[in-house]
Amino acid sequence: MPGRRLIAAVYVKDPATHEDLILRPGQSPSPEIAALVTNPDAWDSPLDADVEPETIAVGEPDPTAGTAEPDPGPGDAGGVGTKKPPSRRTRSTTT
């Protein structure tokens, strides 16, 4: 995988020597060591060079966007909503 470089520091364990390795941004590790880097965000390019990036369509806004009626609030249910029940506390009488 020539040309594949890291864009983040990565810590891996060398399978042959069992030493902790620090791979720094800009390095192109050997294929054996590169296989240990499982986070795709650590690389500057995708795994397969043949895969094209996903195309995002940019164009006219959706004509139906924003035409839905706003959701009624808790008190705007057309007079059909439930009301809060009265408090069950009894009033203390003072003498």
Side-chain angles (χ1 to χ4, degrees), residues 57-65:
V58 178
E60 296 292 322
D62 184 6
T64 61

Side-chain angles (χ1 to χ4, degrees), residues 47-59:
L47 182 60
D48 289 330
D50 299 335
V51 176
E52 293 184 24
E54 183 179 339
T55 304
I56 300 173
V58 178

